[in-house]
Every structure is written in C-alpha cells, then in structure tokens.
Amino acid sequence: MKITVIGSGYVGLVTGACFGHLGNQVICVDNDLKKIAKLKKGTMPFYEPGLEEMVKLNMKEGRLKFSASIPEAVRESECIFIAVSTPPKENGEADLTAIENVAIQIAKSMNSYRLIIEKSTVPVKTGIWVEHTIKIHKRKNCLFDVASNPEFLREGQAISDFLNPDRIVIGVESKRALNLLKRLYAPIRAPIVVTDIKSAELIKHASNSYLAMKISFINAISRICELTGADISKVAEGLGLDKRIGKQFLQAGIGYGGFCFPKDLDAFIAIANQCGYDFRLLKEVRNINQDQVTFFIKKIEQALWNIKDKTIGILGLSFKPETDDIRFTPALTIIKSLLEEGAKIKAFDPKAMDKFKLLVPDITYCRNPNEVAKGADCLVIVTDWLEFKSLDFVKLKHIMKQSVIIDGRNIYDRQALESLGFRYFGVGR
Ligand code: UGA
C-alpha cells in the first residue's frame, strides 16, 4: 500500500520504517529540512535500537523515501498518518496547532480519496476537528475519511512493540477506512479493537495514565516500606503475581519521566476538566511522581550530610535505558538541585550525553562509570542501563573518596554492597 507519514520524530519514523518493512511504499515527511537531508543520507535524528539498520535497508530496497513536501507525498499516497508532535502548553493542554496545519495542507493537496489517520497522541474529539478542517480547506471535491490509530510504542523497544503489539486500536467511522487499516495491519498478529474515533483517542490517554498511576502507586508503597522497614521488591513481587494486577510497571524508583507520561497526564487532566470532570486521581498520581524526585534528592543530602563542595557521580542521564531521550528526565531535576547546593557533578550516560551537554554544559562528562567514580563522594544511579548492573565494586571502592551508593532504580543487592564496605541507599528497601 502507499503510505505517507507526516512527522519524522520517534513515532513517525518508527511507524514509517516498520510499514516499509512490512512491504508498503512509504514516504516519511518532515518540515525540518536538515532532518530530512540527514535521513536521506541514513543518519538518524535520535537513537533507537535497530532503527538505523531498518531505515537503511528499506531505503535501499526502495520502500522508504523522505520528503519535505506534504503536497507531493499526499498526492502519491492513499493512507496518510499524522505523527507530528503535540507539545504541552503552559496550562498543560496539548498544543494542536501542528495537527491543524498539517490537516490544512493535506486538504489542499488531496486529489482523490484519502484516509487521514491520527497517530500522534491527541485529546478526545481531535478527530472531529481534523475532519472539519479538511472539509473547509479541501480544494477538490474528493472523498476522505478520518481515523484514529494510536501508537503504544515504548522508546528503546519501539520496533518490537510495533511488530508485536499487545493490541491494535482502530477508531473509524466508515467501512472503507476500516478495510484499509485492516489490510495495512494484516501482516501483524494481534487482537484488533475496532471502535469509534473518540473511544480510540481516549484509549491512548487512558492507557498512559493507567501506567503512570501504577508507577505512582508502587512509589507511594515504597515510601511506606521505608517508614516501616519492609522491602518494596518483595511487596511488588507479591502484588504482581496476582494476574489481575500483573508484574509490569511495579518497579519503584525516582518516578516516571520522558515525553509521554508527564505531558499526557497533564493533557488528560486538562481534557477531563474541560469536559466537566475533575480527575483528582490523576492529579495525585502527578503529585506523587514529583514528590518522588524531591524525596530522592533529600536522600542524597542525608547520605552526604552537606552537599556543598562534595563530588557527586551521576550514572544515567536519559529518562530510561536504551534511549538518548532526556525530555522530562529526573536526571535534570536532580543535577540542577545538587548544583544549586554547590555540588560538583561528574556524569556518564551511554547514549544521552551529547543531548544533555546542550542543556547543562558545566558539569564534568566522563567516558565510563569508573571515571565518574574516581574521587567521588557518592555514586547516584539515575537510569537503569544494563551496563551499570555489573560494575566492578571492588575497584570502585578503591577509587571513590567515600563508599556511598544511592540507587534510584534498585538495581543492586544491598547485602552484597554492604559486605564490600559500601553504604547503600535504595528506594523503599
Ligand atoms: C510510554 C508507554 O509505555 C507507551 O506504551 C506509549 O506508547 C508511550 O509512552 C507514548 O505515549 O508514546 P515510554 O515513554 O517510551 O512509553 O516509556 P516507558 O517504558 O513506559 O517508561 C516511562 C517511565 O516510567 C520511565 O521514566 C521509566 O523509568 C518509568 N518506569 C516504568 C518506572 O519508574 N517504573 C516502572 O515499573 C516502569
């Protein structure tokens, strides 16, 4: 099938590459000319495991092209995915101006039937506005449908999430649209939930909010564990084995970050409010998440007594492992606060340092965890990258100034570290 994906960010690029991989003819569009020029040369704008190889292969085999021109791409494709960003406004609502602009350009370029599919996370009822916008701007008298097909990709494993999803959600208002989307997803084995457009839009916000709620729930329990001497890892294990609860997303730590949960929660609270519902539950989810970072910073202060002039080693800057994404990363809040208190910061991240340097240039960036540890008063684990799990602690003990580990992701065994002479601080245990 001939497909256009407008917006070549995390969602759009993975979607385009994967649809190409499934044998379709795909054009990925973006208005960032530099990004398109780089993509044409096979250079990715961000790190996502397996993406570069997939993009290059599909370009070579003629199934994936890049373009800066919406009209050209729209003329060539029957299915058009909108995957542009919907960033947060100051009041937490999603800014939908990019969606509107794209809808106008699609409308002006359509020359025969087109299916326009919302892929970006959008507030419920956005589909109605997209349809209205296309109706008033289309130049030719051609038919079109709007659909909602939200993505559930996780950064760091987006390709496998795309190709092996738990479910595919299709929000449509016509048989023609449903048939096109079913054909497109035919090679993928997964349950398909067919619904109206508004319900599909809601499924996305409800899913992300539920997952964020699970994380805040376990983080709240971790606080009670600390107050009582219980162990959050065991509590999570005992909870998660109940099939109705499930094991995933019960990892206590320093809270969720990234560009999805924080902004989607804000947006959902704002939409609910506009509809006349005060979503207090989600407001508390957000509060608990913010508290968790503040509480973690206090933990560092308590472990070191005074922060001023102490050297603090930070392991991990991205909001989670296997990505270079630093948007809404807890690392930024933690480092800024420690800098304000007069600490000297040394940091290492396997992928995110280049991006982080642009935000915080004046700390010492190291080439590996050992370099971070040298002369440090403590090591703080912010991101649970796999390579941090197998550090040589005997060596670290010798090169650190003080043997203190503050583990924001509970990746180490307390007893093992204490037996080596470290002071160990985890979360909720
Ligand atoms: C999230 C959703 O998981 C995807 O399904 C969704 O498609 C995506 O948002 C989106 O809306 O585009 P992502 O932001 O890539 O994906 O990251 P997650 O793997 O969900 O992790 C989010 C945050 O929660 C991370 O900061 C992670 O460290 C934290 N987390 C996760 C925990 O603190 N504990 C856990 O048990 C799980």
Side-chain angles (χ1 to χ4, degrees):
M1 293 173 76
K2 292 187 166 179
I3 300 167
T4 280
V5 182
I6 302 176
S8 300
Y10 281 100
V11 173
L13 199 52
V14 173
T15 302
C18 288
F19 275 134
H21 175 79
L22 295 177
N24 301 289
Q25 294 291 320
V26 182
I27 309 174
C28 281
V29 181
D30 205 285
N31 61 3
D32 181 340
L33 299 179
K34 276 192 201 150
K35 190 194 265 184
I36 289 296
K38 281 188 178 169
L39 281 167
K40 282 182 176 170
K41 288 187 193 145
T43 307
M44 299 302 106
F46 53 84
Y47 171 70
E48 178 65 35
L51 185 64
E52 186 171 333
E53 295 80 357
M54 187 182 257
V55 166
K56 283 182 174 161
L57 182 72
N58 282 285
M59 279 168 75
K60 197 171 138 215
E61 296 190 352
R63 290 188 299 262
L64 182 60
K65 289 197 296 191
F66 294 98
S67 166
S69 163
I70 291 184
E72 210 179 279
V74 168
R75 278 196 295 273
E76 278 189 43
S77 313
E78 188 171 20
C79 296
I80 300 156
F81 284 88
I82 303 182
V84 293
S85 62
T86 52
K89 293 198 261 188
E90 266 191 17
N91 62 1
E93 285 172 23
D95 181 349
L96 300 175
T97 43
I99 302 258
E100 182 178 8
N101 287 337
V102 164
I104 294 171
Q105 290 187 66
I106 295 172
K108 289 183 175 167
S109 321
M110 290 187 329
N111 49 2
S112 59
Y113 173 85
R114 292 292 176 267
L115 172 61
I116 297 105
I117 309 140
E118 300 170 346
K119 198 65 167 155
S120 313
T121 303
V122 290
V124 59
K125 299 209 271 195
T126 301
I128 297 172
W129 280 107
V130 171
E131 188 182 345
H132 171 77
T133 307
I134 294 178
K135 253 186 204 150
I136 57 175
H137 288 279
K138 70 182 174 139
R139 290 201 177 129
K140 301 222 165 102
N141 193 21
C142 39
L143 296 173
F144 74 96
D145 279 309
V146 173
S148 165
N149 170 224
E151 54 80 24
F152 301 100
L153 313 177
R154 283 165 294 181
E155 289 178 21
Q157 43 200 332
I159 290 178
S160 67
D161 280 350
F162 189 97
L163 298 173
N164 312 291
D166 289 345
R167 77 304 206 184
I168 294 163
V169 174
I170 295 181
V172 279
E173 313 281 336
S174 87
K175 271 226 159 101
R176 188 172 186 176
L178 177 61
N179 289 340
L180 275 172
L181 280 165
K182 276 194 166 169
R183 243 175 74 203
L184 198 53
Y185 281 107
I188 295 183
R189 275 214 200 161
I192 297 187
V193 179
V194 179
T195 178
D196 59 281
I197 295 177
K198 283 186 274 190
S199 302
E201 291 166 338
L202 262 181
I203 287 170
K204 170 67 193 201
H205 267 133
S207 300
N208 274 5
S209 305
Y210 188 88
L211 292 169
M213 179 182 76
K214 233 179 149 183
I215 299 170
S216 279
F217 181 83
I218 202 69
N219 281 333
I221 301 285
S222 82
R223 297 288 291 277
I224 300 175
C225 285
E226 286 197 17
L227 293 167
T228 56
D231 179 349
I232 191 64
S233 315
K234 286 289 159 197
V235 176
E237 190 185 342
L239 264 172
L241 283 170
D242 185 326
K243 289 196 186 72
R244 294 168 302 174
I245 297 173
K247 286 183 198 166
Q248 294 189 47
F249 276 70
L250 287 181
Q251 176 70 45
I254 39 185
Y256 56 78
F259 201 53
C260 302
F261 287 173
K263 101 176 153 59
D264 288 357
L265 225 72
D266 283 351
F268 203 24
I269 291 168
I271 301 156
N273 194 38
Q274 281 164 13
C275 302
Y277 179 70
D278 181 8
F279 214 146
R280 284 173 308 191
L281 174 65
L282 292 189
K283 288 181 182 167
E284 201 44 41
V285 167
R286 184 171 61 186
N287 288 340
I288 292 171
N289 198 55
Q290 285 160 359
D291 285 354
Q292 199 68 8
V293 185
T294 315
F295 180 65
F296 186 69
I297 295 168
K298 282 213 182 90
K299 204 177 272 247
I300 304 173
E301 292 165 357
Q302 280 161 7
L304 292 183
W305 192 23
N306 296 306
I307 293 294
K308 192 167 183 309
D309 294 332
K310 296 270 162 61
T311 301
I312 298 180
I314 303 282
L315 292 184
L317 299 169
S318 57
F319 82 97
K320 66 171 192 176
E322 292 301 327
T323 177
D324 61 354
D325 196 344
I326 55 165
R327 291 174 297 177
F328 293 95
T329 176
L332 186 62
T333 319
I334 294 167
I335 290 175
K336 272 190 171 166
S337 163
L338 295 172
L339 284 174
E340 271 168 25
E341 291 188 62
K344 293 178 196 137
I345 303 288
K346 295 172 84 179
F348 170 73
D349 186 285
K351 294 284 176 200
M353 288 200 290
D354 288 346
K355 287 192 175 161
F356 207 84
K357 269 179 203 169
L358 299 175
L359 283 185
V360 186
D362 299 329
I363 59 173
T364 307
Y365 289 94
C366 301
R367 280 168 302 181
N368 52 52
N370 284 349
E371 211 175 292
V372 174
K374 210 169 169 200
D377 288 284
C378 75
L379 265 189
V380 180
I381 313 301
V382 175
T383 318
D384 41 345
W385 282 93
L386 194 62
E387 66 174 273
F388 298 158
K389 293 185 183 167
S390 50
L391 301 181
D392 180 351
F393 283 100
V394 176
K395 185 170 179 187
L396 293 189
K397 177 104 196 347
H398 282 110
I399 57 179
M400 287 177 73
K401 194 165 170 190
Q402 296 193 57
S403 314
V404 179
I405 305 287
I406 305 170
D407 181 1
R409 300 290 178 179
N410 287 348
I411 61 174
Y412 302 127
D413 182 55
R414 169 192 291 280
Q415 273 181 352
L417 287 185
E418 285 181 347
S419 67
L420 287 171
F422 281 93
R423 285 167 65 215
Y424 175 83
F425 302 85
V427 176
R429 53 182 197 159

